[in-house]
Amino acid sequence: MLNLHFRHIRQHVPHVLLSLLLTCTTALLHAQEWSEWEQPKTEVRAVWLTTVKSLDWPKTKATDAASRARQQQELCRILDQLQRAHINTVLLQTRVRGTMIYPSKYEPWDDCLTGKHGQSPGYDPLAFAIDECHKRGMELHAWMVCIPLGDVRKQKACGAQSIMRRRPELCRTAGSEVFMIPSARGTADYIASLCAEMVDNYDIDGISLDYIRYPEKSYGFKDGNATAQQKRDHITRIVQRIHDVVKARKPWVKLSSSPIGKYKDLSRYKAGGWNAYNAVSQEAQEWLRNNLQDMLFPMMYFRDNHFFPFLYDWKEHSYGHPVIPGLGIYFLDPNEGRWALNDVRAQFHVSRQAEVGGVALFRSAFFTRNVKGLYDCVCNEFFAYPALQPRMTWSTDTVAPNMPTAIRLDGSVLSWKAPDTDATAEQSYIYYNVYGSNVYPVDVNRAEHLICTRVMDTRIDLGLRAGKTRYYAVTACDRFGNESAPLQEQVIINLPDVSEAWKPTSRLGVNGTRMDDRMQLLRQSKSSKGKSSKTKRSRKR
C-alpha cells in the first residue's frame, strides 16, 4: 500500500524529487500487483446526471402518456446501473439555464423534457427522480446552474416566462450569452428563492451550486469597476444568502458547489491562469471554513501534477468537511480526450488514500456506458460494497437516534421495530442500515458487512442472501448521518435437544429468536479452549 503524506512531503522534498516521486507513484498505481485496499464504510460516491441538451437524460421526449412512461423507464434504468455500482449520491441537473425540470413559479420548463421550452412533460420529473433514488438507497442533490442563463435565443424562446423578461435588472448579455449579475442587489435573493422553493416542496437531500462564479474573461462580461476582492465578496454573498435560507428550513439539506478544480497557484505548481480564487472569484475554501458549504465537488478534470498536488491542497484546507474531487472520466472517450483507464484508477486510489471523503464522476453516460471498462473496474475494484454518507459533524445535530428494537428473521424477511424518537422533524425522519456476517456479533465497522443502506421501511426481504449469511444487525440513522448503536440479532446459546439439533427449523428458537446449530457452537467452544491453552503456555514461557 502506498502511504504518501503529501503535506509533509511538499514541505521537505525538493521540487525535482517531488515530481519524480509523483511520477513513480502513478507508475506504481498503474501496476497490477498492488495489494487490495480496505474499502471505507463511509464515502461519498457521486455521479453528475446531466439534463442540458439531454446529454445523460432524457433521450426520450415526453409528449404523450407512452413517451412519458419511456422517459421515466429510461431514468430508472440509469439509476439501476448506478445502484449496482454502489453509487450513493446523484447530482441531478435541476436548474439548467434559467429553466427548470420541475414546475416552478419562477422559471419555465426546460426543453430537454419535451423538446419545447415552457411545456410540461405531464409529470414532475424532480419528484419522480427523488422517489426513485430513495428507493435505491441513494441521495439526490439538486444541481443548479447559477449565473449562466444560456444564449439569447434560448431566453427569447421562453417568451414572457423568461427571466430576461421577468427580472431584466438581474440579467446582462455578453456577446450571445446571458448571465445573472453577481453584484445586482436582487441576485442573491432570487437564487435563494429558487433553493427555498425546492426545499419547501421536495424531499431533496442536497443542493449543489454550479457556475457560482464570475464568467470567464473570454466572455467579455462586465460588472462595473468591481475589484477582484469585491467580485469574490459578491459571489460569497450569494452563497451566504442561500445558506441562510436553506438551513433555516431544513438544516440537514447538504449545500455544496463545484468550484474550479485548482483553488490557487501552489508554491511549486501553477494553475496555468485557471483557478477558482483569481480567475472566477470563488473563495470556496473560506466557504468551508465558515460552514457556508457542507461539502465541495471541485472540478478536477486534470491529470498527474495538475491533479495530485491540488487534491492535497483541497484536503489541507477542508476544515473537517468532505472535499469530493470531480473526476473527468469523459476524457476516457476517444472523442473527448486520450486518457487511459489507469489515469482514472490512480486518481481513485490517491483520493481514497488521502481520505478526502469520496469521488464524483463527470458524467453519468461515460460511466454507465462502461467506457474503457470503467464501470466494471469501479464495481470490482473500488465500490465492491455499499457505503454510508459521511456524518455532518459540523452541523447543529450530532446526536445519534436510539437503537431499533425487536429484530427478527422470518424466512428471508428481516424485520425490526422503529426506535422511540422525539417529535422534531430532524429526529423523526429515520432510515436504517442493515449488516450481515457469518461471525457473531456482526462487526458494523466493516464495509463488507453492509447489505443495504438507507432502508425506509422496518422490514426487508433478503432473498437468497438469507441462506448465505448467518447473523444480522440493524442500525438507525438520521439525515445528518448520525448512526445508532447496532441492534444485533439474538442468538440462543443453549444447545437444542439431540432430536432437534439437525433440523433446519431448529435455527428458530422461542419468540422467533435465532438458534445457532450444534456444530457451530462446538467449533466455537473448541476454538476458545485452544486459545485459552495457548495463552497459558505463552505465559509459562
Side-chain angles (χ1 to χ4, degrees):
M1 180 187 297
L2 297 173
N3 189 22
L4 297 178
H5 295 283
F6 194 85
R7 181 183 309 176
H8 306 293
I9 291 172
R10 194 175 68 181
Q11 293 174 352
H12 302 294
V13 179
H15 180 201
V16 175
L17 182 57
L18 179 57
S19 298
L20 179 61
L21 183 59
L22 284 171
T23 303
C24 293
T25 300
T26 304
L28 285 170
L29 288 170
H30 287 180
Q32 301 297 318
E33 293 82 10
W34 65 69
S35 60
E36 183 179 356
W37 290 20
E38 183 176 338
Q39 296 199 19
K41 171 187 166 181
T42 301
E43 185 175 58
V44 175
R45 299 167 178 178
V47 167
W48 277 284
L49 186 60
T50 307
T51 58
V52 63
K53 299 181 180 179
S54 298
L55 289 176
D56 292 327
W57 177 79
K59 300 298 184 182
T60 302
K61 304 304 179 187
T63 56
D64 55 28
S67 58
R68 184 184 312 131
R70 289 197 300 272
Q71 186 177 96
Q72 294 172 339
Q73 291 166 3
E74 184 185 318
L75 178 61
C76 289
R77 285 194 296 269
I78 294 172
L79 297 181
D80 285 342
Q81 281 188 275
L82 298 181
Q83 181 188 25
R84 286 194 291 271
H86 294 140
I87 297 297
N88 60 18
T89 306
V90 175
L91 303 169
L92 176 64
Q93 191 170 25
T94 302
R95 189 193 191 210
V96 186
R97 293 290 190 277
T99 49
M100 296 293 195
I101 66 163
Y102 70 89
S104 170
K105 67 180 180 181
Y106 297 103
E107 296 185 341
W109 289 97
D110 190 76
D111 65 341
C112 69
L113 299 162
T114 63
K116 183 177 180 180
H117 289 298
Q119 181 172 310
S120 169
Y123 75 108
D124 189 332
L126 180 57
F128 179 79
I130 292 170
D131 288 344
E132 294 301 321
C133 282
H134 287 178
K135 287 178 186 177
R136 293 164 176 80
M138 297 185 285
E139 289 191 353
L140 185 140
H141 295 211
W143 160 18
M144 293 184 59
V145 176
C146 295
I147 300 301
L149 299 172
D151 59 46
V152 175
R153 290 178 299 175
K154 175 176 181 175
Q155 287 301 320
K156 287 183 177 180
C158 293
Q161 294 179 300
S162 167
I163 185 175
M164 288 184 68
R165 295 276 296 274
R166 298 181 66 183
R167 299 297 301 274
E169 75 281 6
L170 304 182
C171 305
R172 180 164 296 158
T173 301
S176 62
E177 298 291 319
V178 186
F179 300 92
M180 299 199 74
I181 305 172
S183 64
R185 294 176 61 87
T187 296
D189 286 338
Y190 181 83
I191 298 178
S193 68
L194 301 178
C195 296
E197 180 180 56
M198 287 189 288
V199 170
D200 288 342
N201 297 331
Y202 296 94
D203 188 23
I204 56 175
D205 302 288
I207 294 177
S208 190
L209 308 175
D210 191 17
Y211 284 95
I212 185 68
R213 67 194 200 214
Y214 264 81
E216 298 88 320
K217 288 183 179 179
S218 60
Y219 286 106
F221 180 86
K222 304 295 183 182
D223 196 1
N225 296 317
T227 65
Q229 186 55 50
Q230 286 173 333
K231 289 182 177 180
R232 288 189 283 269
D233 291 341
H234 294 326
I235 298 298
T236 297
R237 185 177 65 253
I238 300 173
V239 175
Q240 175 80 60
R241 182 59 180 152
I242 293 170
H243 169 273
D244 294 347
V245 166
V246 169
K247 294 299 184 178
R249 286 167 163 78
K250 295 179 180 176
W252 60 84
V253 171
K254 297 171 183 173
L255 292 176
S256 66
S257 56
S258 302
I260 299 300
K262 302 173 183 178
Y263 184 61
K264 285 183 179 179
D265 287 346
L266 304 179
S267 59
R268 295 188 173 114
Y269 294 91
K270 305 301 180 184
W274 179 237
N275 63 49
Y277 187 82
N278 293 310
V280 293
S281 309
Q282 293 174 312
E283 285 186 301
Q285 291 180 354
E286 290 301 307
W287 302 343
L288 291 182
R289 182 201 291 269
N290 296 322
N291 288 333
L292 298 182
Q293 299 270 275
D294 296 301
M295 58 183 64
L296 295 179
F297 294 94
M299 300 181 294
M300 302 191 69
Y301 308 154
F302 317 104
R303 288 187 296 182
D304 303 327
N305 286 353
H306 292 285
F307 180 89
F308 300 113
F310 295 94
L311 173 72
Y312 278 87
D313 178 64
W314 284 113
K315 169 65 176 179
E316 291 174 13
H317 298 90
S318 61
Y319 304 102
H321 296 261
V323 179
I324 317 301
L327 308 186
I329 63 170
Y330 63 95
F331 284 121
L332 292 171
D333 189 315
N335 296 322
E336 300 284 348
R338 296 184 178 181
W339 283 21
L341 178 60
N342 279 336
D343 291 319
V344 179
R345 291 173 76 199
Q347 294 179 351
F348 265 92
H349 274 292
V350 174
S351 298
R352 180 169 283 174
Q353 187 276 333
E355 298 181 341
V356 292
V359 294
L361 308 179
F362 186 81
R363 52 187 172 78
S364 174
F366 295 100
F367 181 55
T368 56
R369 282 185 5 226
N370 199 26
V371 176
K372 291 188 178 176
L374 177 65
Y375 184 87
D376 292 338
C377 172
V378 169
C379 291
N380 297 326
E381 186 174 344
F382 296 104
F383 298 165
Y385 312 111
L388 303 185
Q389 296 285 346
R391 284 183 64 214
M392 298 171 67
T393 55
W394 54 90
S395 70
T396 57
D397 187 342
T398 57
V399 179
N402 295 327
M403 186 174 64
T405 61
I407 188 171
R408 174 189 175 95
L409 182 68
D410 187 5
S412 64
V413 176
L414 187 71
S415 62
W416 57 91
K417 290 185 178 179
D420 295 330
T421 61
D422 295 332
T424 60
E426 296 96 317
Q427 295 171 326
S428 62
Y429 190 107
I430 298 294
Y431 56 88
Y432 304 95
N433 303 313
V434 179
Y435 300 81
S437 172
N438 287 325
V439 176
Y440 186 87
V442 180
D443 185 351
V444 298
N445 295 312
R446 298 187 66 84
E448 61 266 32
H449 294 166
L450 264 173
I451 296 177
C452 297
T453 64
R454 202 186 171 96
V455 178
M456 302 303 298
D457 201 355
T458 55
R459 65 193 303 274
I460 183 172
D461 192 338
L462 298 168
L464 296 177
R465 182 70 182 257
K468 298 178 181 179
T469 305
R470 299 180 62 84
Y471 311 111
Y472 298 95
V474 177
T475 62
C477 203
D478 64 20
R479 305 204 74 167
F480 295 93
N482 302 307
E483 188 179 25
S484 76
L487 171 65
Q488 298 281 351
E489 185 187 7
Q490 288 182 290
V491 176
I492 297 177
I493 61 173
N494 294 327
L495 292 177
D497 294 335
V498 174
S499 60
E500 296 292 323
W502 315 113
K503 293 183 180 180
T505 54
S506 68
R507 296 183 72 194
L508 282 179
V510 294
N511 300 322
T513 55
R514 291 283 294 286
M515 181 178 292
D516 204 354
D517 64 80
R518 180 181 293 272
M519 291 303 294
Q520 175 69 9
L521 288 171
L522 290 174
R523 282 196 295 268
Q524 290 178 350
S525 176
K526 290 180 180 179
S527 174
S528 61
K529 288 180 180 179
K531 290 181 179 178
S532 176
S533 60
K534 287 181 181 178
T535 303
K536 290 179 180 178
R537 287 196 297 271
S538 64
R539 287 176 179 172
K540 288 181 181 179
R541 288 197 294 269

